[in-house]
Amino acid sequence: PGQGTEVSLLLPWASEDTKRAPAPTDADRARSGPAICVLLVDDDPEVRQVTADMLHNLGCIVVEAAGGAEALRLIQGTAPDLLVLDYAMPDMNGLRLAHAMRDAGVSAPVLLATGYAELERSGDMTTAVLDAILRKPFTLRELAVVINRLLNQPPEGSNVVELRRLG
């Protein structure tokens, strides 16, 4: 006691050609391609803002709508690459909006963001029109993973529910 301890740590030198750049993250990969136009629809302004910020961080161009009717008006002047829809909205839920988008000729992948665990068993409307479901709350990494998958990047992640189209 009172004398202390001395520790030595010996590390090998690395030459310049052996140093590696850090591996790219999902967010880096999402940013590296051309800008993705995302139509984001959520009736909660705070949730919509947080999600829009996440999408901007991934390098996306974001067009926001507060509900289904507004979203259907907005698609008249834009061709989104991806639709990110909230499920629980007044007047038109996310599933109904996804069907209306398909009826309007929008072929972009549909990502439904929801906190409802029982959605896959919902009997009122088929989920076949969806390309993926992302459980709320989600992280930036989880969002990047599902976007990369929907836009033909390698799939991974634990918060994404795979859906298959029938027929």
Side-chain angles (χ1 to χ4, degrees):
Q3 292 182 344
T5 302
E6 183 178 313
V7 176
S8 297
L9 180 62
L10 304 175
L11 300 172
W13 285 93
S15 65
E16 285 299 316
D17 58 332
T18 61
K19 292 180 183 176
R20 294 184 182 167
T25 65
D26 291 317
D28 295 331
R29 284 190 287 276
R31 271 191 224 110
S32 66
I36 299 164
C37 180
V38 177
L39 176 59
L40 170 63
V41 186
D42 198 309
D43 64 310
D44 185 318
E46 289 86 16
V47 173
R48 189 173 61 248
Q49 182 61 53
V50 169
T51 306
D53 289 345
M54 294 171 105
L55 290 164
H56 285 296
N57 285 338
L58 293 173
C60 299
I61 298 167
V62 182
V63 177
E64 298 179 42
E70 182 182 356
L72 288 168
R73 280 193 306 275
L74 286 173
I75 63 160
Q76 301 303 320
T78 185
D81 300 306
L82 176 66
L83 304 174
V84 178
L85 312 178
D86 180 34
Y87 175 69
M89 295 186 289
D91 300 323
M92 185 183 302
N93 70 30
L95 274 176
R96 293 188 190 286
L97 178 56
H99 282 279
M101 289 288 181
R102 291 295 184 245
D103 291 343
V106 177
S107 61
V110 177
L111 168 59
L112 191 74
T114 183
Y116 290 94
E118 69 280 355
L119 182 63
E120 289 103 302
R121 293 179 289 281
S122 175
D124 65 331
M125 186 166 248
T126 178
T127 58
V129 71
L130 304 176
D131 295 288
I133 297 174
L134 186 59
R135 300 281 176 220
K136 289 181 180 180
F138 51 85
T139 64
L140 177 64
R141 183 183 188 313
E142 290 166 334
L143 182 60
V145 166
V146 74
I147 288 173
N148 286 336
R149 182 179 63 78
L150 289 174
L151 300 177
N152 298 318
Q153 298 297 322
E156 62 176 289
S158 60
N159 199 25
V160 177
V161 177
E162 293 284 338
L163 298 175
R164 286 182 283 158
R165 293 189 189 272
L166 299 175

